[in-house]
Amino acid sequence: MNTVTVALGRRNYKIFIGRDLLARLEEFLPRELSSRCLVVTDDNVDPIYGQRLINVLKSLGFRPAKVVVPAGEASKSLAGAEALYDRAFEHGLDRRSPIIALGGGVVGDLAGFIAATYMRGVPFIQIPTTLLAQVDSSVGGKVAVNHPRGKNIIGAFYQPSAVISDLSLLDTLPVREMRSGMAEVIKYGVIWDDAFFQYLESNLDAAMGLDSRVMQAVVARCCEIKAGIVAEDERESGLRAILNYGHTIGHAVESLGGYHLKNHGEAVAVGMVMEAVLARQMGQLDVKELERLMALIQKVPLDISLPGEWHKQQAIELMRQDKKAVGNEMFFVLPECIGRVHIKKVSDQQLDDLLPVE
Ligand code: ADP
Ligand code: ZN
């Protein structure tokens, strides 16, 4: 097992990474929890792992209630949150009752939002079940629901008490979700760590095959990198923006495809390549580095072509809404080489030259 500590001001918490951790849950839980607790999961994960978690909790003396939400982004709504508050009150949860998220990013964000707000904050335990959630959304303390005006637009920064990343849970993850998570894994190599990128170049197949030694190293390194960045910039003023590499274009790609043509990681893969091409066009990135990136992404394999629904003007409009934009000026996270990025203003003309019409 690997342990990564996330240090945020006075508050520290640990991420535990390894196989078969669910059975050892008591080692990872904080002290002084109330026995009544709430498990939040979705209707794909529940039939596979729901009962197992409930049994473990009962064996430790907890009295768990469980809420199963429909899988998918639509569950991350205020209406969905309200149903969870109702359940929390019904079951008699108090200020020391943990809310336990068992699922991917959707469940983590929703359950975390409830944990942050129910009685102004109760202990939050994350058990991420997707690669994407283990390397990304479970680290950093962002919790949120969606609003018709935007994704993740109602939320808070709220750190969990513990994150238990049980790699065995990935055994049942659909391969498309596994590949999507791998896009974010590759991102960490590009923005921070050439040695890690090289490790992925040599060990990608083992990672995709869920080799436990390799996967443990991979998830731990991603968590370490993200935890380090977030610790320096908890509230997203500067450094944290580099985590956004591949996402300025990626979000537009995801949105144009209606969030189903390409899922998050698939869109980020396209965004990472296009933003690297942009860096190359601006004379900042060696062609060899661009080729390394493309080769690794294609090895996953992730498709780096634009979705059929591509529409250049709409894409640019979406990019203008990016949170890095200031007024009319657009900023991108551009790689200088594998392992180092910087944030740079990109002119309309440069963007126009990059993006194909269709
Ligand atoms: P993400 O973590 O990628 O942000 P989701 O929470 O939407 O996104 O999870 C992606 C999909 O994978 C959902 O349909 C979810 O039900 C399913 N899923 C999550 N974890 C597992 C797992 N361990 N085994 C099988 N399916 C899973
Ligand atoms: Zn992402």
Side-chain angles (χ1 to χ4, degrees):
M1 185 182 73
N2 265 2
T3 309
V4 175
T5 301
V6 186
L8 291 162
R10 289 171 294 117
R11 296 209 43 227
N12 274 2
Y13 69 92
K14 287 198 167 74
I15 304 173
F16 303 95
I17 302 153
R19 286 192 71 87
D20 302 316
L21 299 189
L22 215 52
R24 298 165 51 187
L25 194 62
E26 63 176 322
E27 294 174 42
F28 314 124
L29 295 179
R31 313 262 158 254
E32 297 180 0
L33 297 173
S34 297
S35 61
R36 288 169 201 268
C37 62
L38 185 69
V39 172
V40 183
T41 187
D42 76 26
D43 58 6
N44 288 332
V45 177
D46 180 51
I48 320 178
Y49 303 112
Q51 195 55 46
R52 207 200 294 178
L53 176 60
I54 295 292
N55 291 345
V56 170
L57 287 167
K58 283 184 176 163
S59 76
L60 298 176
F62 285 99
R63 297 175 63 184
K66 184 175 76 181
V67 177
V68 182
V69 302
E73 200 65 29
S75 289
K76 259 174 67 178
S77 65
L78 280 170
E82 216 168 335
L84 263 73
Y85 296 128
D86 292 347
R87 194 77 185 88
F89 282 116
E90 260 169 46
H91 193 59
L93 297 200
D94 62 35
R95 289 197 165 80
R96 287 182 180 175
S97 298
I99 306 241
I100 305 169
L102 175 71
V106 167
V107 164
D109 282 2
L110 174 65
F113 182 77
I114 300 303
T117 48
Y118 179 75
M119 296 191 168
R120 288 213 223 99
V122 296
F124 176 38
I125 312 288
Q126 290 248 47
I127 308 179
T129 65
T130 65
L131 178 59
L132 190 69
Q134 292 187 354
V135 299
D136 184 23
S137 48
S138 69
V139 193
K142 283 189 182 176
V143 299
V145 294
N146 301 325
H147 184 274
R149 286 294 185 91
K151 277 184 83 177
N152 296 327
I153 215 159
I154 311 288
F157 288 92
Y158 193 69
Q159 306 303 334
S161 307
V163 179
I164 298 131
S165 283
D166 184 339
L167 302 171
S168 324
L169 305 182
L170 302 180
D171 291 347
T172 57
L173 189 66
V175 66
R176 186 175 174 190
E177 300 298 335
M178 190 66 199
R179 289 172 183 162
S180 170
M182 205 51 82
E184 298 276 358
V185 169
I186 292 171
K187 180 190 79 177
Y188 290 110
V190 179
I191 64 171
W192 202 258
D193 189 349
D194 182 43
F196 179 56
F197 192 94
Q198 285 177 43
Y199 181 82
L200 293 173
E201 289 176 313
S202 312
N203 294 284
L204 189 82
D205 291 340
M208 287 303 292
L210 288 171
D211 174 283
S212 53
R213 188 183 51 83
V214 171
M215 218 31 201
Q216 193 168 303
V218 165
V219 173
R221 186 66 191 130
C222 294
C223 292
E224 251 169 39
I225 294 172
K226 183 160 183 188
I229 292 171
V230 168
E232 268 188 48
D233 183 16
E234 189 177 351
R235 287 185 181 254
E236 195 152 60
S237 39
L239 184 64
R240 198 164 173 157
I242 70 170
L243 293 164
N244 208 235
Y245 169 57
H247 286 62
T248 314
I249 294 179
H251 281 146
V253 166
E254 199 180 1
S255 166
L256 285 175
Y259 293 93
H260 59 268
L261 273 190
K262 294 214 184 253
N263 67 24
H264 181 70
E266 291 164 348
V268 167
V270 175
M272 287 195 293
V273 170
M274 294 197 70
E275 291 173 15
V277 171
L278 183 58
R280 169 88 196 119
Q281 237 169 247
M282 292 165 73
Q284 296 170 21
L285 181 69
D286 195 275
V287 69
K288 287 222 161 52
E289 297 286 80
L290 175 61
E291 284 168 2
R292 277 177 79 196
L293 173 65
M294 290 175 60
L296 187 57
I297 289 178
Q298 285 172 315
K299 197 169 171 189
V300 173
L302 282 156
D303 180 8
I304 58 170
S305 59
L306 287 169
E309 310 290 292
W310 181 253
H311 186 288
K312 181 168 174 165
Q313 274 323 311
Q314 265 177 314
I316 293 178
E317 281 322 303
L318 286 163
M319 288 173 212
R320 283 196 195 289
Q321 292 162 27
D322 182 85
K323 59 189 169 203
K324 291 187 298 311
V326 182
N328 241 340
E329 295 185 330
M330 284 186 275
F331 292 84
F332 282 74
V333 181
L334 299 179
E336 291 170 50
C337 57
I338 301 293
R340 194 165 68 236
V341 291
H342 62 175
I343 296 171
K344 200 149 166 96
K345 189 162 90 184
V346 171
S347 71
D348 289 12
Q349 188 60 52
Q350 284 163 325
L351 196 59
D352 202 67
D353 292 345
L354 170 77
L355 300 171
V357 178
E358 47 184 349

